[in-house]
Amino acid sequence: MPATAKTAKVIKTGKLEKAVKLSGLAATKGARAAIEAAGGSIAGEPIRPEKTPQEKAWQKNLAAAAAKPEKSAKTEKTVKTEKPAKGEGRPKGDQAPAQERTKD
């Protein structure tokens, strides 16, 4: 295992013809069954590296984001305002005065 690798996991591909003994590695259910069927064994718990503070914060943020319900277009309600009928609207006195044009 390379020095930069934090963990390793054994997965099943192909057939296992010889018995092997593993220690401290994780294995999938299929790999575990194949190893035991060939007469091998898997000993010890997988080594789990200590998480850095950045990894812990990232997982906390990820869990918080997963807990928030997603907004969908179907659940959002839009408020529609009714337009005044023709001829209705603001009274003339409420409108702002038009600007006068001056010739220079």
Side-chain angles (χ1 to χ4, degrees):
M1 185 161 61
T4 57
K6 292 183 178 182
T7 61
K9 187 172 191 175
V10 179
I11 58 172
K12 180 186 174 192
T13 58
K15 291 185 178 182
L16 184 62
E17 298 179 10
K18 294 182 180 181
V20 293
K21 292 182 180 182
L22 299 178
S23 178
L25 292 176
T28 62
K29 290 179 183 179
R32 184 177 297 276
I35 291 168
E36 291 171 353
S41 65
I42 301 174
E45 288 292 315
I47 300 169
R48 302 211 169 150
E50 192 66 31
K51 292 181 181 170
T52 64
Q54 291 85 6
E55 289 173 322
K56 289 178 183 178
W58 180 79
Q59 284 187 333
K60 183 178 178 182
N61 291 338
L62 185 62
K68 290 181 182 177
E70 290 187 28
K71 291 182 180 178
S72 68
K74 292 181 181 179
T75 59
E76 288 185 14
K77 293 183 180 180
T78 54
V79 177
K80 293 183 180 180
T81 57
E82 293 183 24
K83 293 182 180 178
K86 256 188 177 176
E88 293 181 12
R90 289 190 284 170
K92 295 276 184 185
D94 288 351
Q95 294 179 355
Q99 292 181 348
E100 294 181 21
R101 290 188 179 179
T102 58
K103 293 183 180 181
D104 290 326

